[in-house]
Amino acid sequence: MAEATNTVAATGKRKQRIGEVVSNKMTKTIVVRVERRFPHAQFKKIVTSYKKFYAHDEKSVAKIGDTVRIEESRPLSKLKRWTLIEVVESAEAVTAVAA
């Protein structure tokens, strides 16, 4: 009966999304485009829709074209509700070669 151990209230898991970095022009903020594919309700054709999320990038490691994993967090600003977890795949460095 006296077993009052450290029981933390179990909250739900935070949502995670994988998407492509579209912009990193802001300080400590990236814009991630997430693709969602689903069948159309009436016609059953596979439809692709995109949504942009503003994510917090503390160390400014993500570059345009990178594939990243983001996780929802508390509101950090007017639009930022996501945080960068990891860079899944780096974009290939594009080098201009004069021919």
Side-chain angles (χ1 to χ4, degrees), residues 18-95:
I18 295 178
E20 179 184 352
V21 177
V22 178
S23 172
N24 64 349
K25 301 289 184 193
M26 296 169 275
T27 306
K28 297 185 179 182
T29 303
I30 57 174
V31 181
V32 181
R33 186 179 76 164
V34 175
E35 177 182 298
R36 179 174 161 250
R37 296 172 57 90
F38 58 96
H40 188 275
Q42 183 177 0
F43 302 116
K44 308 303 182 210
K45 178 182 176 182
I46 300 297
V47 181
T48 304
S49 70
Y50 300 94
K51 185 160 183 179
K52 292 195 303 185
F53 295 100
Y54 287 73
H56 184 68
D57 183 6
E58 181 68 35
K59 298 175 184 170
S60 299
V61 294
K63 305 298 178 205
I64 295 176
D66 289 353
T67 303
V68 295
R69 181 185 313 273
I70 56 175
E71 181 178 63
E72 70 178 347
S73 65
R74 65 180 178 81
L76 299 170
S77 69
K78 179 181 174 182
L79 297 173
K80 272 202 291 191
R81 268 84 172 132
W82 297 80
T83 306
L84 176 69
I85 299 299
E86 66 174 334
V87 176
V88 177
E89 183 179 341
S90 294
E92 304 213 1
V94 179
T95 58

